[in-house]
Amino acid sequence: MIVGIRDGLKMFGVAIVSACAVFVCTFYLNYYLDCLAIRGSVPAESIQLYEAQQLSAKITCAIAGGALALIAVVLVAFYTGLFVAERSKTIGVLKAMGYSDGKIALGFWVFGLSALVGTAAGHALGYALAPTIYSLMSDGFLEVPLRYHFELTAELVIAPTVLYSLVAVLCAYWKLRAPVMTLLRGKAEKAKTGKAKNRERSFLWEVFFRTPSAHKALAFFVAFAGFCFSTMLQMSWSMKDLASVTMGVIMFVIGVVLAVTVFLLAMTSLTRGNAKTVSLMRAYGYNFWEYGNAVFGGFRPFAYLGFGIGTAYQYGLLRLMVDLVFKDVGTMPAYSFDVGAFFVTLACFIVVYEAAVAYFTYRIGKENVRKYVSE
């Protein structure tokens, strides 16, 4: 069949996002379930901390885990559509031979294997770090014994794998409904229209604005990368006062891993999809900065928009935790927006983002124009 086990295991973005989501949910939900078993033995002086930690676990899993799970579903759909587009001619041949859309689409169940690898790794890591997390969350007032809950394994590992496999099959079926001749011809490029007397400057601006509109999913991923970088890094600065240095380090690592993974996915796909355009632009004399800004520059507003939304999100979430969830816990310190952390994170983001764009501009500029001369 057109889709093999190796194809299903190549979706690194799905695996990493799934691992991060399940990692967070594992120790929070496990802590929640273990706390339920000791409710009757919680001392009166610790009951407020107990209830606050229970609510904190539910909110964190609902917001963080739910959001990351949704992003993983979007990634599965994106990878599926990309795979169908790249193998359209082969798929067209299979359909011409009599294979039905449903039969071909069923082969895409293997895309769920990446989710299985990611969720299993995140689940195992969550249990490995659970003793440390339990100690930090209990704050020395609660003794919560760590126990294994199979229902969590079913909900956080098995269920997502089935869900992502189903999403891949449904997305593939939707994409495969195209006529056989359309698939055999491959993805046809739209004819470019415009006045013959357009100036060079207007052409560059046309590429600048049209590239994001033609790659809406990639624009979303770039914005999400900025969101993750902003949210998790700024929140990690606050954790040293609100929780612990260890929790801050965990959030920092998760934020960097998510941001880098999603951004690399977007930029790699964008580089591959615009290699021909840039090669032709180079042949016509456009320089490094012109074609780089034309292809990648239109995504810059999305990156900084995501960063801004992430800043507001992390501030609102921490205010919710401090002012509502832990308002009756006397040991919880006051929280205010950390201006210094914001500017340091913004400076780091600008340096990392612009350096990455320069690198991918260099990569896309290395494409050999000769391969496109005959097209």
Side-chain angles (χ1 to χ4, degrees):
M1 189 54 68
I2 187 172
V3 189
I5 300 295
R6 293 179 61 183
D7 295 313
L9 295 174
K10 289 180 180 179
M11 300 164 61
F12 298 110
V14 175
I16 292 175
V17 173
S18 300
C20 291
V22 171
F23 168 68
V24 173
C25 291
T26 293
F27 58 73
Y28 269 114
L29 290 178
N30 208 83
Y31 182 82
Y32 175 81
L33 294 176
D34 287 342
C35 280
L36 290 178
I38 66 165
R39 182 178 178 85
S41 60
V42 175
E45 63 271 16
S46 299
I47 193 66
Q48 290 180 339
L49 175 63
Y50 171 87
E51 293 176 350
Q53 293 288 26
Q54 289 287 82
L55 183 58
S56 173
K58 290 190 288 186
I59 292 177
T60 302
C61 291
I63 296 178
L68 291 178
L70 180 60
I71 296 300
V73 169
V74 174
L75 283 172
V76 171
F78 173 78
Y79 275 119
T80 303
L82 189 64
F83 187 91
V84 172
E86 292 178 345
R87 308 290 180 89
S88 61
K89 294 182 180 180
T90 304
I91 293 173
V93 171
L94 290 176
K95 291 184 67 172
M97 293 172 59
Y99 285 85
S100 66
D101 293 345
K103 186 173 183 179
I104 298 174
L106 284 176
F108 283 80
W109 71 267
V110 298
F111 278 13
L113 294 178
S114 292
L116 176 62
V117 171
T119 54
H123 197 51
L125 185 59
Y127 268 113
L129 292 182
T132 302
I133 302 299
Y134 272 40
S135 176
L136 295 174
M137 294 182 67
S138 298
D139 200 23
F141 294 101
L142 298 174
E143 290 295 333
V144 183
L146 174 64
R147 296 185 302 162
Y148 171 73
H149 300 274
F150 175 76
E151 59 268 32
L152 282 185
T153 302
E155 294 171 359
L156 298 178
V157 178
I158 300 175
T161 301
V162 174
L163 172 63
Y164 295 156
S165 294
L166 180 61
V167 169
V169 170
L170 292 177
C171 288
Y173 182 79
W174 178 266
K175 293 286 185 180
L176 291 171
R177 297 190 306 165
V180 172
M181 291 307 299
T182 300
L183 292 170
L184 289 174
R185 285 195 298 266
K187 187 177 180 181
E189 295 184 1
K190 296 182 179 179
K192 296 182 179 179
T193 60
K195 296 181 180 179
K197 296 182 180 180
N198 277 351
R199 295 177 301 171
E200 176 181 300
R201 185 175 183 180
S202 63
F203 168 74
L204 291 176
W205 280 108
E206 182 181 1
V207 177
F208 178 92
F209 287 112
R210 285 195 176 187
T211 303
S213 64
H215 301 85
K216 296 180 177 64
L218 300 184
F220 170 78
F221 292 147
V222 169
F224 181 69
F227 175 88
C228 292
F229 193 96
S230 173
T231 299
M232 303 304 285
L233 266 65
Q234 290 187 72
M235 197 175 292
S236 68
W237 283 75
S238 301
M239 286 299 103
K240 67 180 185 298
D241 297 322
L242 298 178
S244 66
V245 174
T246 302
M247 289 296 291
V249 171
I250 291 174
M251 289 187 173
F252 178 87
V253 173
I254 291 177
V256 171
V257 169
L258 282 176
V260 170
T261 299
V262 178
F263 183 75
L264 287 179
L265 164 66
M267 291 296 102
T268 301
S269 298
L270 192 62
T271 300
R272 183 170 51 189
N274 289 273
K276 176 181 178 180
T277 301
V278 170
S279 294
L280 296 178
M281 290 177 70
R282 289 172 54 219
Y284 280 102
Y286 291 98
N287 62 39
F288 177 90
W289 301 109
E290 287 174 328
Y291 64 73
N293 185 64
V295 174
F296 298 108
F299 292 86
R300 188 173 285 108
F302 294 96
Y304 290 104
L305 176 63
F307 185 93
I309 295 175
T311 298
Y313 171 82
Q314 65 88 27
Y315 175 74
L317 182 60
L318 289 179
R319 292 246 46 119
L320 173 67
M321 291 296 185
V322 173
D323 295 344
L324 295 179
V325 178
F326 291 95
K327 64 178 180 178
D328 296 324
V329 179
T331 58
M332 179 59 62
Y335 169 73
S336 59
F337 184 74
D338 194 332
V339 178
F342 168 76
F343 282 109
V344 170
T345 305
L346 177 60
C348 292
F349 181 72
I350 292 174
V351 171
V352 172
Y353 180 81
E354 298 302 336
V357 169
Y359 167 73
F360 280 101
T361 301
Y362 170 78
R363 272 189 55 183
I364 201 172
K366 299 294 288 183
E367 192 73 21
N368 191 348
V369 70
R370 294 180 181 178
K371 65 195 301 185
Y372 301 115
V373 170
S374 61
E375 297 186 18

